[in-house]
Short mmCIF file of all heavy atoms in Angstrom, two decimals:
data_model
loop_
_atom_site.label_atom_id
_atom_site.label_comp_id
_atom_site.label_asym_id
_atom_site.label_seq_id
_atom_site.Cartn_x
_atom_site.Cartn_y
_atom_site.Cartn_z
N THR A 94 116.22 143.72 67.00
CA THR A 94 115.20 143.08 67.84
C THR A 94 114.38 144.11 68.61
O THR A 94 113.15 143.98 68.73
CB THR A 94 115.85 142.09 68.82
OG1 THR A 94 116.55 141.08 68.08
CG2 THR A 94 114.81 141.43 69.70
N LEU A 95 115.04 145.13 69.14
CA LEU A 95 114.32 146.15 69.91
C LEU A 95 113.31 146.88 69.01
O LEU A 95 112.17 147.12 69.42
CB LEU A 95 115.30 147.15 70.52
CG LEU A 95 114.66 148.29 71.34
CD1 LEU A 95 113.81 147.74 72.48
CD2 LEU A 95 115.73 149.23 71.87
N ASP A 96 113.72 147.19 67.80
CA ASP A 96 112.80 147.85 66.87
C ASP A 96 111.60 146.96 66.56
O ASP A 96 110.46 147.45 66.44
CB ASP A 96 113.53 148.20 65.57
CG ASP A 96 114.50 149.35 65.73
OD1 ASP A 96 114.31 150.16 66.66
OD2 ASP A 96 115.45 149.45 64.93
N GLU A 97 111.83 145.65 66.44
CA GLU A 97 110.73 144.72 66.18
C GLU A 97 109.74 144.72 67.34
O GLU A 97 108.52 144.71 67.14
CB GLU A 97 111.28 143.31 65.97
CG GLU A 97 112.05 143.13 64.67
CD GLU A 97 112.63 141.74 64.53
OE1 GLU A 97 112.32 140.88 65.39
OE2 GLU A 97 113.39 141.50 63.58
N ILE A 98 110.26 144.72 68.56
CA ILE A 98 109.39 144.74 69.74
C ILE A 98 108.60 146.04 69.79
O ILE A 98 107.37 146.04 70.02
CB ILE A 98 110.22 144.55 71.03
CG1 ILE A 98 110.83 143.15 71.07
CG2 ILE A 98 109.34 144.79 72.27
CD1 ILE A 98 111.79 142.93 72.22
N LEU A 99 109.26 147.16 69.57
CA LEU A 99 108.57 148.46 69.60
C LEU A 99 107.49 148.52 68.53
O LEU A 99 106.42 149.09 68.76
CB LEU A 99 109.59 149.59 69.41
CG LEU A 99 110.58 149.81 70.56
CD1 LEU A 99 111.63 150.85 70.18
CD2 LEU A 99 109.87 150.23 71.84
N ASN A 100 107.75 147.91 67.38
CA ASN A 100 106.77 147.92 66.30
C ASN A 100 105.51 147.14 66.66
O ASN A 100 104.42 147.44 66.15
CB ASN A 100 107.39 147.32 65.03
CG ASN A 100 106.43 147.37 63.85
OD1 ASN A 100 106.00 148.44 63.43
ND2 ASN A 100 106.08 146.20 63.33
N ARG A 101 105.63 146.18 67.56
CA ARG A 101 104.46 145.42 67.98
C ARG A 101 103.50 146.28 68.80
O ARG A 101 102.31 145.95 68.90
CB ARG A 101 104.90 144.20 68.80
CG ARG A 101 105.61 143.14 67.98
CD ARG A 101 106.11 142.01 68.84
NE ARG A 101 107.01 141.15 68.07
CZ ARG A 101 108.06 140.52 68.54
NH1 ARG A 101 108.36 140.63 69.82
NH2 ARG A 101 108.81 139.76 67.77
N TYR A 102 104.01 147.34 69.39
CA TYR A 102 103.17 148.16 70.27
C TYR A 102 102.94 149.57 69.72
O TYR A 102 101.96 150.23 70.10
CB TYR A 102 103.80 148.23 71.66
CG TYR A 102 103.84 146.86 72.30
CD1 TYR A 102 104.95 146.03 72.15
CD2 TYR A 102 102.74 146.36 72.99
CE1 TYR A 102 104.97 144.75 72.69
CE2 TYR A 102 102.75 145.08 73.53
CZ TYR A 102 103.86 144.29 73.37
OH TYR A 102 103.87 143.01 73.90
N PHE A 103 103.82 150.02 68.83
CA PHE A 103 103.66 151.36 68.26
C PHE A 103 103.45 151.32 66.76
O PHE A 103 103.27 152.36 66.14
CB PHE A 103 104.89 152.22 68.58
CG PHE A 103 105.13 152.39 70.05
CD1 PHE A 103 106.10 151.64 70.70
CD2 PHE A 103 104.39 153.29 70.79
CE1 PHE A 103 106.32 151.80 72.07
CE2 PHE A 103 104.60 153.45 72.15
CZ PHE A 103 105.56 152.70 72.80
N GLY A 104 103.48 150.13 66.18
CA GLY A 104 103.29 149.98 64.75
C GLY A 104 102.21 148.96 64.44
O GLY A 104 101.21 148.86 65.14
N ASP A 105 102.46 148.14 63.42
CA ASP A 105 101.45 147.18 63.00
C ASP A 105 101.79 145.74 63.38
O ASP A 105 101.20 144.79 62.87
CB ASP A 105 101.24 147.26 61.48
CG ASP A 105 102.54 147.05 60.70
OD1 ASP A 105 103.58 146.75 61.32
OD2 ASP A 105 102.50 147.17 59.47
N GLY A 106 102.75 145.57 64.29
CA GLY A 106 103.13 144.24 64.74
C GLY A 106 102.11 143.64 65.70
O GLY A 106 101.18 144.32 66.16
N GLU A 107 102.28 142.37 66.02
CA GLU A 107 101.37 141.66 66.91
C GLU A 107 102.07 141.40 68.25
O GLU A 107 103.07 140.69 68.31
CB GLU A 107 100.97 140.32 66.29
CG GLU A 107 99.99 139.52 67.13
CD GLU A 107 98.61 140.16 67.18
OE1 GLU A 107 98.27 140.91 66.25
OE2 GLU A 107 97.88 139.90 68.15
N PRO A 108 101.56 141.98 69.36
CA PRO A 108 102.17 141.75 70.68
C PRO A 108 102.25 140.27 71.02
O PRO A 108 101.33 139.51 70.69
CB PRO A 108 101.22 142.50 71.62
CG PRO A 108 100.62 143.58 70.78
CD PRO A 108 100.44 142.94 69.42
N GLN A 109 103.33 139.89 71.68
CA GLN A 109 103.55 138.49 72.03
C GLN A 109 103.34 138.26 73.54
O GLN A 109 103.83 139.05 74.35
CB GLN A 109 104.97 138.07 71.65
CG GLN A 109 105.26 138.20 70.16
CD GLN A 109 104.39 137.30 69.32
OE1 GLN A 109 104.33 136.11 69.54
NE2 GLN A 109 103.69 137.90 68.35
N PRO A 110 102.62 137.21 73.92
CA PRO A 110 102.40 136.94 75.35
C PRO A 110 103.65 136.43 76.03
O PRO A 110 104.48 135.76 75.42
CB PRO A 110 101.31 135.86 75.32
CG PRO A 110 101.52 135.16 74.02
CD PRO A 110 101.96 136.22 73.05
N VAL A 111 103.78 136.76 77.30
CA VAL A 111 104.91 136.32 78.11
C VAL A 111 104.36 135.64 79.36
O VAL A 111 103.45 136.17 80.02
CB VAL A 111 105.81 137.51 78.52
CG1 VAL A 111 106.90 137.06 79.48
CG2 VAL A 111 106.41 138.16 77.28
N THR A 112 104.90 134.48 79.68
CA THR A 112 104.44 133.71 80.84
C THR A 112 105.47 133.76 81.95
O THR A 112 106.67 133.66 81.71
CB THR A 112 104.19 132.24 80.45
OG1 THR A 112 103.21 132.21 79.41
CG2 THR A 112 103.68 131.45 81.64
N SER A 113 105.00 133.92 83.17
CA SER A 113 105.88 133.92 84.34
C SER A 113 105.88 132.57 85.03
O SER A 113 104.83 131.96 85.21
CB SER A 113 105.43 135.00 85.34
OG SER A 113 106.16 134.90 86.55
N ALA A 114 107.06 132.11 85.42
CA ALA A 114 107.17 130.90 86.23
C ALA A 114 106.91 131.24 87.69
O ALA A 114 106.92 132.42 88.08
CB ALA A 114 108.55 130.28 86.07
N GLU A 115 106.66 130.24 88.51
CA GLU A 115 106.52 130.44 89.94
C GLU A 115 107.90 130.61 90.57
O GLU A 115 108.86 129.96 90.14
CB GLU A 115 105.80 129.25 90.59
CG GLU A 115 104.35 129.09 90.16
CD GLU A 115 103.47 130.23 90.63
OE1 GLU A 115 103.76 130.79 91.71
OE2 GLU A 115 102.51 130.57 89.92
N LEU A 116 107.99 131.47 91.55
CA LEU A 116 109.27 131.69 92.23
C LEU A 116 109.71 130.41 92.94
O LEU A 116 108.94 129.79 93.67
CB LEU A 116 109.13 132.82 93.25
CG LEU A 116 110.41 133.20 94.02
CD1 LEU A 116 111.47 133.72 93.07
CD2 LEU A 116 110.08 134.24 95.10
N ASP A 117 110.95 130.01 92.70
CA ASP A 117 111.51 128.81 93.31
C ASP A 117 112.99 129.07 93.52
O ASP A 117 113.78 129.09 92.57
CB ASP A 117 111.30 127.60 92.40
CG ASP A 117 111.76 126.29 93.04
OD1 ASP A 117 112.56 126.34 94.00
OD2 ASP A 117 111.34 125.23 92.56
N THR A 118 113.39 129.28 94.77
CA THR A 118 114.77 129.62 95.08
C THR A 118 115.74 128.48 94.74
O THR A 118 116.95 128.70 94.69
CB THR A 118 114.92 129.97 96.57
OG1 THR A 118 114.44 128.88 97.37
CG2 THR A 118 114.13 131.22 96.91
N GLY A 119 115.22 127.30 94.47
CA GLY A 119 116.06 126.17 94.11
C GLY A 119 116.40 126.14 92.63
O GLY A 119 117.20 125.31 92.19
N LYS A 120 115.78 127.07 91.86
CA LYS A 120 116.02 127.11 90.42
C LYS A 120 116.82 128.36 90.05
O LYS A 120 116.89 129.33 90.80
CB LYS A 120 114.69 127.11 89.67
CG LYS A 120 113.89 125.83 89.80
CD LYS A 120 112.61 125.90 88.97
CE LYS A 120 111.82 124.61 89.04
NZ LYS A 120 110.58 124.67 88.22
N ASP A 121 117.41 128.32 88.87
CA ASP A 121 118.16 129.46 88.36
C ASP A 121 117.17 130.37 87.65
O ASP A 121 116.81 130.14 86.49
CB ASP A 121 119.24 128.98 87.39
CG ASP A 121 120.23 130.09 87.04
OD1 ASP A 121 120.19 131.15 87.70
OD2 ASP A 121 121.03 129.90 86.10
N GLN A 122 116.72 131.40 88.34
CA GLN A 122 115.66 132.26 87.84
C GLN A 122 116.10 133.72 87.77
O GLN A 122 116.98 134.17 88.50
CB GLN A 122 114.42 132.15 88.73
CG GLN A 122 113.81 130.76 88.76
CD GLN A 122 112.59 130.69 89.67
OE1 GLN A 122 112.56 131.29 90.75
NE2 GLN A 122 111.58 129.94 89.24
N LEU A 123 115.46 134.46 86.87
CA LEU A 123 115.61 135.90 86.78
C LEU A 123 114.30 136.50 87.29
O LEU A 123 113.26 136.35 86.66
CB LEU A 123 115.87 136.35 85.35
CG LEU A 123 115.98 137.87 85.14
CD1 LEU A 123 117.30 138.39 85.73
CD2 LEU A 123 115.88 138.22 83.65
N VAL A 124 114.36 137.18 88.42
CA VAL A 124 113.16 137.75 89.03
C VAL A 124 113.05 139.22 88.61
O VAL A 124 113.93 140.03 88.93
CB VAL A 124 113.18 137.63 90.56
CG1 VAL A 124 111.90 138.21 91.16
CG2 VAL A 124 113.36 136.17 90.98
N VAL A 125 111.99 139.53 87.91
CA VAL A 125 111.77 140.87 87.37
C VAL A 125 110.62 141.55 88.11
O VAL A 125 109.50 141.04 88.13
CB VAL A 125 111.45 140.80 85.87
CG1 VAL A 125 111.09 142.19 85.33
CG2 VAL A 125 112.62 140.22 85.09
N ALA A 126 110.90 142.69 88.72
CA ALA A 126 109.86 143.47 89.39
C ALA A 126 109.23 144.42 88.37
O ALA A 126 109.94 145.09 87.61
CB ALA A 126 110.45 144.26 90.55
N THR A 127 107.91 144.48 88.34
CA THR A 127 107.23 145.37 87.40
C THR A 127 105.90 145.83 87.97
O THR A 127 105.47 145.39 89.05
CB THR A 127 107.01 144.66 86.05
OG1 THR A 127 106.68 145.64 85.06
CG2 THR A 127 105.89 143.63 86.14
N ASN A 128 105.25 146.73 87.25
CA ASN A 128 103.89 147.19 87.56
C ASN A 128 103.08 147.01 86.30
O ASN A 128 103.14 147.84 85.39
CB ASN A 128 103.90 148.65 88.01
CG ASN A 128 102.51 149.25 88.11
OD1 ASN A 128 102.21 150.25 87.46
ND2 ASN A 128 101.65 148.65 88.90
N ALA A 129 102.34 145.91 86.21
CA ALA A 129 101.66 145.54 84.97
C ALA A 129 100.36 146.31 84.77
O ALA A 129 99.29 145.75 84.54
CB ALA A 129 101.40 144.04 84.95
N ALA A 130 100.46 147.62 84.87
CA ALA A 130 99.32 148.50 84.62
C ALA A 130 99.82 149.74 83.90
O ALA A 130 99.38 150.85 84.15
CB ALA A 130 98.64 148.89 85.94
N PHE A 131 100.77 149.51 83.00
CA PHE A 131 101.47 150.62 82.35
C PHE A 131 101.62 150.31 80.86
O PHE A 131 102.70 150.22 80.32
CB PHE A 131 102.85 150.80 83.02
CG PHE A 131 103.54 152.09 82.70
CD1 PHE A 131 102.99 153.30 83.08
CD2 PHE A 131 104.75 152.09 82.03
CE1 PHE A 131 103.65 154.50 82.80
CE2 PHE A 131 105.42 153.28 81.74
CZ PHE A 131 104.86 154.48 82.12
N GLU A 132 100.48 150.08 80.23
CA GLU A 132 100.47 149.80 78.80
C GLU A 132 101.02 150.99 78.01
O GLU A 132 100.73 152.14 78.36
CB GLU A 132 99.03 149.51 78.36
CG GLU A 132 98.93 148.97 76.97
CD GLU A 132 97.50 148.60 76.60
OE1 GLU A 132 96.60 148.83 77.42
OE2 GLU A 132 97.29 148.09 75.49
N PRO A 133 101.89 150.78 77.03
CA PRO A 133 102.23 149.51 76.38
C PRO A 133 103.51 148.86 76.87
O PRO A 133 104.03 147.98 76.20
CB PRO A 133 102.39 149.96 74.92
CG PRO A 133 103.05 151.31 75.05
CD PRO A 133 102.39 151.94 76.26
#
Side-chain angles (χ1 to χ4, degrees):
T94 300
L95 179 58
D96 287 336
E97 290 178 6
I98 293 173
L99 292 173
N100 183 60
R101 290 176 191 146
Y102 296 91
F103 300 101
D105 57 4
E107 182 70 24
Q109 300 297 306
V111 175
T112 301
S113 172
E115 294 294 329
L116 182 64
D117 185 341
T118 56
K120 294 183 177 180
D121 191 11
Q122 297 179 321
L123 178 72
V124 181
V125 174
T127 195
N128 170 237
F131 195 64
E132 190 176 3

